[in-house]
Amino acid sequence: MGGETQTRITGSSFPKLAAGPVGQQIHNIYKDRLSRFTDHGQFESQNLQAAMYEGRASGEEYIKLSVYSPPDLTRPTFKEATSKEFKKTKVGESFGPSWSTHWFKVTLKVPPNLLHKEQLELHWDANNEALIWTEEGEPLQGLTGGGERVEWVLPKSFRDGKFHTIYIEMACNRMFGNPPGGDIIQPPDPNRYYQLHKADIVAVNQEARALFFDFWIISGMIFNPSAFENCLKITIDSAREFPWDSWESHEAMQIGNAIMDAFNAGRGSQASIVKGREIAKRYIGDVNSPKVYDNDREHIVYAIGHCHIDTCWLWPWDETKRKIARSWANQCDLMDRYPEHRFTCSQAQQYKWLEQLYPELYDRIKAKVKQGIFQPVGGSWVEHDTNMPSGESLVRQFLYGQRFFESHFGERCSTFWLPDTFGYSSQLPQLCRLAGMTRFFTQKLSWNNINNFPHTTFKWVSPDGSQVLCHMAPSETYTADANFIDVKRSVSQHKSMDQDNTSLLVFGKGDGGGGPTFEHLEKLRRCRGVSDTVGLLPRLNMGNSVEDFFDRLERKAIDGTKYVTWYGELYFELHRGTYTTQANNKLNNRKTEILLHDIEYLATLATVKDSSYKYPKNDIDDMWENVLLCQFHDCLPGSSIEMCYDDSDQLYAKVFQTGEKILKDTLAVFGLSQQESDDGSLTAINTLPWPRAEIVKLPEHRCSRDEKYALVHGSPVTVSVDRLSQSSKVVKSSASIKEIKAGIFQLSNDRFKLEVEGGNIISLIDLSVNREVIPKGGKANQLVIFDDKPLYWQAWDVEVYHLESREELSSGTSSIVEHGPHRVSLATETKISEKSWIKTTISLAASINDQPSYIEMDSEVEWHENMKFLKVEFPVDIVNTEASYETQYGIIRRPTHYNTSWDMAKFEVCCHKWADLSENGYGVSILNDSKYGFATCGNMMRLSLLRAPKAPDAHADMGRHNIRYAILPHAGPLDSVTVRTAINFNHPFRLYTSSSSSVLKSSSSTRSSITLSGSPSLILDTIKRGEDDEDVSRGELPQREGRSIIVRIYESLGGKSRGVLGCTLGVKKCFRTNLLEDDEEQLHGWDPKGEKIDIELRPFEVATFRLQLGDGDWQEAVFDGGSEGDDLE
């Protein structure tokens, strides 16, 4: 309007007339069409599957088979097996039973028509695991079976038209053992047989295989391609992972359909396949080589190959040893074919097995380690449970693990790697730092079934304030399939993006081994290509290490990034039943830990008392390695098959046998004998660092009518044994028992008066403060049973709803079995069912001066239940919103209420030797000598005794059990009385025969030459010889001149504490060390005249000291009486 106009003449080429109707694509139809291009259904002969192979040869003309089947489920070595007679066999034959081994001699020849094909493979599949060997006995590659990892690339040397021989070691088990059906955790079927249904030489169409992976990733932009066989799952994952409203998804569908159109138009020809790949390149770029990673674009996902091999689980240890060889050989092969591949693996025990059993493969791996592409990680002996092992056991996991990695590969680990363990002790950050590790990786808390853990990358802080940088893979797996979804979730599920957006993607077949496959590496190349070309996926990179990833995080922290913090335990809200399952295994763990404590202490003193005594380092190392092995996170928790516990029983028996021999030799140095004899005086050994006094029952052959008990008392090491007659005045107090009403018994000593009815304590009065401990109407020592049917994981889980099935067990009659005056006991039998019963003896000993007194329960149980949970309850008249539980080197406090879902999730928790509920001025501790499961709800304290799961071990916990626990009421707050009494309770005195009274000099008690005084919260926990002392070292690391003693002390109650460490052995220097016994600081405050040094520890701190001994003659100092100040008051 109002302006000039100008006529424009345009020459558009847009057609004037419509050529015909064109409809809009029906998205769900075109989307569903894509899966038909690669599946094995009715269109297999017409789709890409038909073009995957260019030729195939089978039968005796090209593949000759013979077999040797070892008897009795034995697993012979290559040399043993190949020396036997092999018998002719063929495809279609079946082999078994479960767990048996069959060695195949495979003689093959490539047919003329395949000699010049690009890639030739042997495809072998019997639905079970196998290992390929060269004719000379070198392990080459593992096979998984069942369609997974069934191929072995034939060497170029096989293309000569001649016959070549290899051997295949078949294991009659699948990746997850021998489950009877589809449920892998059911007890294994002992009679499974496996049919060899494939043994072919195959020419692979490399372009078709590459197109398959191109198409896999492209179609994955629309739906989850890992579920090609399940259209329903495809639809579900599509809706969740990649909404249809993105242009990238639309483009992916167009590209995918264009590839199919090109293939169909070319009738599946090689040219059509090449054209399809060209079309794919528009979306994924050039992904034919590792060069796809060679650009400077920033990546945020660090992909690292991994193979988690459960050291035992649904298979026995001997099968694990073969899984290691199969899995790690595969990775060596992949590294040669895919230069970008980096592989990380933990568990020093597995490396040691490999070195012992497969030395050629170990050397091959060692070379890869040197190249930096096979990367040891973890720093521990096995991937162990962290809830139940003692503090010293956790130390030894790191000590033995780090020493192995250093001595074999020249470097210690910096990252603690524990992806699959069932919860994480609050002290792990401190122990990691003391073992030279600053980082921690896991992902297991993603399994929580109540609350979602809120962090991905964070600082995890121990009670003493030590911290490690922790990362939990946001893909929420340590066995990622390397699909686009795994890459996407590495960002979409990342919970710490405010501080850092990077993550680890840990991929590879796992649990049963295997590790990454070539498919994984091909898919990851394409994921990177998509990121660079389209940009929908976060960019990932290959070729880095776990340490590279954490190095960057640490640099950011140093530069000021404030990662969020998490204080205390990482409680796992699942698998709570593992604190109780396989009770005998847990008992063996506790007893061997104590045995090793005593052996190291006494052997240390023996080496400085008698120069001819050789510290038994080899035997001690073997014992520790076996105990550490049994602490693997599926063994100690009780979640393995029965065969594994047959194995662990044998190992524990070996540990006990070796330990008893060492004790015998060591005690001989002190003039003591374990032999039952009527000759010689009785004495005992106190291996704890404070004075003790207890009433002990005499051995049967030393009892008389009037003398059945003895008072054992004194400071470390040897203590007095005073026989007690009925009228003895050595113990000034006495214990009594009487029936005060029909069926109601009263037991009393100077400290307590209790009433027992039907095995239940209905009254417990603390006479020292005139206080009733049991609330009105309450019944302590009440046995209760629960239905125990979790949602799925039987041996692992107990669910919160089991508490609603509580049933009290009614007891039978009670009878007095000990009448006093030194000890009284009342026995009560309780029928659990027609097959199960329990006999509980409640005992009360006479109180001894100022020593703590407690009420002890000793139960004998015959247990044959089905999915039941046995516990014992202690209602106490105490009010507190928190209960205290012993954990490694300290205490953890947990709620006694269900205010929040986080509180309620802790309805069953782990404790060690004691649990305590205290209020201002008074409390009650429950002690135990082999249990770990506990719960405190309100004022009800409940100790878990036995479970009866039926999977994966159908006979878990069935049979006879002996269980000890005790009630320790105490005036005042929780203090060192509970800590030390629980340790005493777990270290019962053992009586010995003294061959010479001169050993004890003029008294019946001698004092230790290593002492700790000062704050009673300080616990002298470990005394041992230095690992690398010249008279002790096994030579795996450089020796240290002279002799030294290692002393480990911890603060047990949570406050800064001071003490005095003393040693009368001629200490030359004193060093503060880490757990690996590296000198970190020389303590110049050592007083050579007073033979002591002042020390100070933070709350819950663990401190290790190395006492370097002089060259003088100090052997007799072990038995120097010392001063009264050496005792802990």
Side-chain angles (χ1 to χ4, degrees):
M1 286 176 61
E4 296 182 0
T5 61
Q6 186 173 358
T7 302
R8 270 192 272 175
I9 300 174
T10 60
S12 174
S13 60
F14 181 71
K16 179 178 179 181
L17 301 177
V22 177
Q24 185 176 13
Q25 285 184 348
I26 310 302
H27 292 157
N28 63 320
I29 292 177
Y30 280 81
K31 185 169 60 176
D32 289 349
R33 177 199 184 203
L34 298 180
S35 66
R36 305 299 183 265
F37 188 50
T38 53
D39 67 19
H40 290 279
Q42 59 182 320
F43 304 110
E44 181 177 358
S45 64
Q46 300 295 312
N47 66 16
L48 184 60
Q49 291 293 340
M52 296 292 281
Y53 305 111
E54 299 177 309
R56 185 180 296 268
S58 59
E60 285 197 9
E61 183 178 358
Y62 301 109
I63 303 175
K64 302 179 187 297
L65 302 176
S66 56
V67 64
Y68 162 64
S69 298
D72 304 323
L73 305 186
T74 55
R75 296 175 172 89
T77 64
F78 175 89
K79 185 176 181 180
E80 292 168 341
T82 54
S83 68
K84 303 296 183 180
E85 179 184 354
F86 281 67
K87 297 181 180 178
K88 184 177 179 181
T89 189
K90 63 182 184 298
V91 172
E93 296 272 339
S94 292
F95 302 90
S98 304
W99 311 117
S100 62
T101 298
H102 303 270
W103 282 84
F104 292 84
K105 184 176 182 180
V106 182
T107 305
L108 50 85
K109 180 177 71 173
V110 177
N113 64 315
L114 300 183
L115 285 174
H116 301 293
K117 296 297 182 180
E118 184 179 1
Q119 177 147 310
L120 298 178
E121 297 175 350
L122 171 67
H123 285 197
W124 175 281
D125 197 352
N127 285 314
N128 56 17
E129 292 192 89
L131 179 61
I132 300 174
W133 297 74
T134 67
E135 190 173 17
E136 295 73 32
E138 180 183 352
L140 292 175
Q141 182 193 306
L143 302 171
T144 301
E148 283 192 8
R149 208 181 324 244
V150 299
E151 75 289 334
W152 174 60
V153 179
L154 296 186
K156 298 293 184 183
S157 60
F158 280 33
R159 296 170 180 259
D160 58 2
K162 299 178 182 178
F163 277 103
H164 296 266
T165 298
I166 60 171
Y167 288 88
I168 297 180
E169 179 188 12
M170 174 193 286
C172 283
N173 53 266
R174 303 200 67 180
M175 186 71 81
F176 293 97
N178 282 295
D183 186 349
I184 65 168
I185 72 165
Q186 293 307 307
D189 178 355
N191 292 304
R192 283 194 71 165
Y193 281 75
Y194 294 87
Q195 184 183 54
L196 175 61
H197 60 85
K198 185 180 292 184
D200 299 341
I201 297 173
V202 176
V204 178
N205 185 334
Q206 290 286 71
E207 282 292 300
R209 179 178 279 179
L211 180 59
F212 176 88
F213 291 114
D214 294 345
F215 194 84
W216 179 298
I217 293 300
I218 291 169
S219 59
M221 311 314 290
I222 310 162
F223 49 71
N224 180 4
S226 67
F228 271 146
E229 308 299 331
N230 189 331
C231 292
L232 177 62
K233 187 175 188 302
I234 287 171
T235 303
I236 293 172
D237 280 350
S238 168
R240 185 177 72 234
E241 297 296 337
F242 288 98
W244 177 243
D245 58 4
S246 69
W247 73 265
E248 295 94 343
S249 293
H250 283 274
E251 181 68 10
M253 192 176 77
Q254 302 309 312
I255 293 289
N257 278 277
I259 291 171
M260 293 182 69
D261 291 341
F263 183 85
N264 292 335
R267 301 181 183 278
S269 66
Q270 191 68 11
S272 72
I273 292 171
V274 173
K275 184 175 181 180
R277 294 217 65 207
E278 287 298 319
I279 296 171
K281 189 182 292 187
R282 303 204 305 257
Y283 200 87
I284 63 175
D286 186 353
V287 295
N288 291 327
S289 75
K291 291 181 180 180
V292 67
Y293 300 107
D294 291 349
N295 61 57
D296 295 331
R297 297 183 182 184
E298 182 181 3
H299 60 274
I300 60 175
V301 179
Y302 290 68
I304 188 77
H306 179 54
C307 173
H308 179 69
I309 304 177
D310 284 318
T311 304
C312 67
W313 182 29
L314 304 177
W315 50 87
W317 281 323
D318 281 345
E319 196 55 46
T320 302
K321 298 169 185 177
R322 301 201 294 190
K323 283 177 176 285
I324 296 163
R326 292 191 286 259
S327 303
W328 294 4
N330 293 339
Q331 303 317 306
C332 290
D333 173 66
L334 288 175
M335 288 169 185
D336 294 338
R337 294 159 57 192
Y338 292 86
E340 72 269 29
H341 183 36
R342 301 293 181 269
F343 178 75
T344 193
C345 217
S346 65
Q347 307 194 72
Q349 173 69 85
Q350 295 189 4
Y351 287 88
K352 181 174 181 177
W353 279 337
L354 192 77
E355 181 184 25
Q356 292 172 333
L357 301 174
Y358 303 89
E360 298 89 355
L361 178 57
Y362 175 79
D363 288 341
R364 188 179 175 194
I365 285 171
K366 196 168 183 179
K368 302 287 187 188
V369 172
K370 191 172 183 179
Q371 295 173 40
I373 55 179
F374 195 113
Q375 300 161 354
V377 73
S380 59
W381 190 249
V382 295
E383 288 187 14
H384 52 93
D385 178 74
T386 77
N387 288 312
M388 290 168 283
S390 68
E392 190 61 30
S393 285
L394 295 183
V395 169
R396 300 309 174 94
Q397 287 285 353
F398 293 143
L399 178 69
Y400 283 86
Q402 289 284 51
R403 287 178 65 84
F404 183 91
F405 290 122
E406 182 180 10
S407 62
H408 286 71
F409 304 116
E411 193 172 351
R412 295 172 179 172
C413 300
S414 299
T415 301
F416 185 31
W417 185 271
L418 215 56
D420 193 31
T421 293
F422 312 149
Y424 303 94
S425 165
S426 61
Q427 287 286 27
L428 283 177
Q430 179 181 188
L431 299 181
C432 283
R433 296 306 296 256
L434 291 171
M437 292 180 285
T438 60
R439 306 94 178 263
F440 175 54
F441 173 82
T442 186
Q443 64 80 50
K444 197 65 175 182
L445 296 194
S446 67
W447 284 40
N448 279 4
N449 70 347
I450 296 180
N451 299 286
N452 291 323
F453 190 77
H455 309 306
T456 293
T457 301
F458 59 97
K459 293 185 294 186
W460 182 22
V461 186
S462 269
D464 80 310
S466 300
Q467 65 178 2
V468 292
L469 194 55
C470 180
H471 180 74
M472 296 189 182
S475 58
E476 297 186 349
T477 181
Y478 52 89
T479 59
D481 277 333
N483 291 325
F484 71 95
I485 288 175
D486 298 310
V487 179
K488 179 180 180 294
R489 289 176 181 171
S490 295
V491 169
S492 64
Q493 296 181 166
H494 200 300
K495 301 169 186 174
S496 303
M497 299 286 279
D498 293 343
Q499 293 81 40
D500 186 81
N501 62 0
T502 63
S503 64
L504 274 178
L505 175 62
V506 181
F507 68 93
K509 303 291 183 181
D511 292 329
T517 64
F518 82 90
E519 291 96 336
H520 292 144
L521 298 170
E522 292 288 351
K523 287 187 287 182
L524 289 176
R525 284 182 178 180
R526 286 154 179 81
C527 286
R528 174 58 184 259
V530 168
S531 301
D532 288 342
T533 306
V534 178
L536 180 61
L537 284 177
R539 188 170 289 107
L540 70 87
N541 197 53
M542 294 280 288
N544 297 116
S545 68
V546 172
E547 306 310 333
D548 292 335
F549 170 76
F550 275 108
D551 284 346
R552 179 185 168 279
L553 293 179
E554 286 191 358
R555 285 195 299 270
K556 287 189 66 174
I558 294 170
D559 291 341
T561 298
K562 296 185 181 298
Y563 296 108
V564 297
T565 54
W566 184 274
Y567 284 78
E569 70 174 333
L570 293 173
Y571 178 83
F572 184 40
E573 296 179 1
L574 201 67
H575 295 0
R576 303 169 185 89
T578 59
Y579 311 144
T580 305
T581 308
Q582 297 288 0
N584 188 60
N585 201 54
K586 291 170 168 60
L587 174 66
N588 283 335
N589 176 70
R590 181 82 62 88
K591 296 304 182 186
T592 51
E593 288 175 336
I594 291 169
L595 176 63
L596 278 158
H597 167 277
D598 293 351
I599 283 173
E600 289 185 324
Y601 174 52
L602 294 173
T604 297
L605 296 184
T607 61
V608 295
K609 172 178 171 53
D610 184 348
S611 59
S612 66
Y613 177 85
K614 174 71 174 174
Y615 190 78
K617 183 69 163 60
N618 289 0
D619 287 338
I620 289 175
D621 284 350
D622 289 345
M623 291 173 68
W624 265 119
E625 288 180 10
N626 287 334
V627 171
L628 300 178
L629 171 58
C630 292
Q631 290 172 350
F632 177 73
H633 69 254
D634 274 310
C635 185
L636 180 55
S639 49
S640 291
I641 61 172
E642 187 172 10
M643 294 173 74
C644 298
Y645 296 105
D646 294 338
D647 288 345
S648 66
D649 285 348
Q650 292 178 14
L651 274 191
Y652 279 127
K654 181 181 177 183
V655 171
F656 285 121
Q657 181 181 19
T658 303
E660 290 301 318
K661 181 182 182 301
I662 295 174
L663 276 179
K664 179 182 177 182
D665 296 342
T666 305
L667 290 170
V669 175
F670 299 101
L672 301 177
S673 171
Q674 293 176 286
Q675 294 181 350
E676 293 186 357
S677 171
D678 295 329
D679 301 327
S681 60
L682 286 175
T683 190
I685 294 287
N686 178 12
T687 57
L688 300 180
W690 46 72
R692 297 175 62 183
E694 295 175 18
I695 293 175
V696 175
K697 197 163 189 177
L698 289 169
E700 202 66 40
H701 68 285
R702 288 296 191 110
C703 289
S704 67
R705 188 177 218 176
D706 191 48
E707 293 181 337
K708 296 182 179 179
Y709 301 91
L711 174 64
V712 180
H713 60 101
S715 299
V717 180
T718 54
V719 296
S720 301
V721 178
D722 297 335
R723 299 169 68 98
L724 301 176
S725 66
Q726 295 291 329
S727 58
S728 173
K729 300 299 182 184
V730 174
V731 178
K732 296 179 181 179
S733 67
S734 63
S736 64
I737 185 170
K738 59 184 177 181
E739 188 172 10
I740 56 175
K741 294 180 184 178
I744 300 179
F745 297 83
Q746 183 185 87
L747 292 73
S748 62
N749 63 11
D750 285 359
R751 304 284 177 80
F752 303 117
K753 181 172 69 175
L754 57 150
E755 294 180 5
V756 180
E757 181 178 19
N760 300 325
I761 301 173
I762 57 176
S763 173
L764 171 53
I765 298 175
D766 186 337
L767 299 175
S768 66
V769 292
N770 193 28
R771 174 165 178 156
E772 174 64 68
V773 175
I774 309 300
K776 186 176 181 179
K779 295 181 290 184
N781 199 45
Q782 171 68 61
L783 294 164
V784 288
I785 198 164
F786 301 83
D787 267 344
D788 191 14
K789 299 180 181 71
L791 297 174
Y792 177 65
W793 300 97
Q794 284 195 46
W796 295 259
D797 287 348
V798 56
E799 293 296 352
V800 65
Y801 53 75
H802 88 285
L803 296 170
E804 299 168 16
S805 65
R806 175 183 178 275
E807 178 185 347
E808 293 186 3
L809 294 177
S810 300
S811 299
T813 58
S814 300
S815 59
I816 299 173
V817 292
E818 290 182 289
H819 295 78
H822 307 301
R823 179 183 173 98
V824 295
S825 298
L826 181 71
T828 306
E829 293 192 17
T830 302
K831 183 179 180 181
I832 300 172
S833 68
E834 293 301 318
K835 296 181 179 179
S836 304
W837 52 263
I838 181 168
K839 180 180 179 181
T840 302
T841 301
I842 302 175
S843 300
L844 183 66
S847 58
I848 307 168
N849 301 327
D850 60 348
Q851 295 292 305
S853 185
Y854 50 77
I855 301 93
E856 180 177 349
M857 274 65 69
D858 196 323
S859 296
E860 183 180 13
V861 189
E862 187 68 24
W863 181 249
H864 296 282
E865 295 304 294
N866 188 350
M867 301 185 194
K868 297 291 183 180
F869 201 154
L870 180 67
K871 306 185 185 186
V872 61
E873 294 180 340
F874 306 92
V876 293
D877 191 15
I878 302 289
V879 177
N880 200 327
T881 57
E882 287 186 327
S884 299
Y885 303 85
E886 187 190 39
T887 187
Q888 297 95 342
Y889 298 129
I891 298 169
I892 186 160
R893 294 178 175 86
R894 301 181 176 110
T896 61
H897 54 77
Y898 297 157
N899 283 1
T900 70
S901 60
W902 292 90
D903 300 324
M904 191 172 183
K906 296 177 181 178
F907 62 84
E908 181 84 3
V909 298
C910 183
C911 77
H912 280 225
K913 296 182 286 296
W914 58 264
D916 182 86
L917 185 62
S918 292
E919 62 188 25
N920 182 38
Y922 200 82
V924 176
S925 300
I926 305 298
L927 317 180
N928 76 83
D929 84 337
S930 64
K931 297 299 169 187
Y932 296 93
F934 208 93
T936 306
C937 182
N939 70 336
M940 178 65 77
M941 307 179 76
R942 189 180 288 124
L943 177 65
S944 298
L945 301 181
L946 292 169
R947 297 185 69 222
K950 299 304 172 187
D953 177 1
H955 305 106
D957 286 321
M958 297 299 98
R960 188 68 58 90
H961 299 268
N962 290 282
I963 304 168
R964 287 176 66 235
Y965 51 92
I967 309 173
L968 175 66
H970 56 85
L974 171 65
D975 62 13
S976 61
V977 171
T978 290
V979 175
R980 296 186 179 198
T981 303
I983 295 173
N984 291 350
F985 189 74
N986 279 264
H987 286 74
F989 277 122
R990 293 173 64 175
L991 301 182
Y992 302 99
T993 301
S994 173
S995 59
S996 172
S997 60
S998 63
V999 173
L1000 303 178
K1001 296 191 175 179
S1002 58
S1003 71
S1004 61
S1005 176
T1006 57
R1007 302 185 188 281
S1008 173
S1009 51
I1010 304 169
T1011 60
L1012 178 64
S1013 60
S1015 172
S1017 72
L1018 295 176
I1019 304 297
L1020 200 168
D1021 190 55
T1022 297
I1023 296 174
K1024 62 183 285 290
R1025 290 296 307 277
E1027 289 291 314
D1028 296 313
D1029 288 358
E1030 59 187 2
D1031 65 321
V1032 169
S1033 169
R1034 298 177 71 172
E1036 67 268 41
L1037 290 171
Q1039 293 184 5
R1040 179 181 273 145
E1041 290 185 5
R1043 294 183 173 190
S1044 64
I1045 294 176
I1046 301 298
V1047 177
R1048 194 148 20 251
I1049 299 168
Y1050 70 96
E1051 198 288 315
S1052 63
L1053 293 175
K1056 182 182 289 188
S1057 299
R1058 294 170 179 164
V1060 178
L1061 174 61
C1063 181
T1064 61
L1065 299 176
V1067 173
K1068 183 179 179 181
K1069 295 178 183 178
C1070 178
F1071 297 89
R1072 183 80 177 258
T1073 78
N1074 58 21
L1075 300 183
L1076 308 181
E1077 301 180 14
D1078 301 323
D1079 293 339
E1080 295 189 331
E1081 176 190 5
Q1082 182 175 348
L1083 303 180
H1084 297 289
W1086 182 264
D1087 177 5
K1089 293 183 179 179
E1091 300 177 316
K1092 61 185 180 181
I1093 191 169
D1094 295 333
I1095 62 172
E1096 180 179 280
L1097 273 65
R1098 298 189 307 273
F1100 298 125
E1101 183 181 7
V1102 180
T1104 304
F1105 301 91
R1106 189 175 72 85
L1107 308 179
Q1108 183 71 47
L1109 304 182
D1111 301 324
D1113 185 10
W1114 28 252
Q1115 278 81 12
E1116 290 305 317
V1118 179
F1119 284 93
D1120 188 2
S1123 66
E1124 291 298 322
D1126 289 338
D1127 287 344
L1128 279 172
E1129 299 298 334

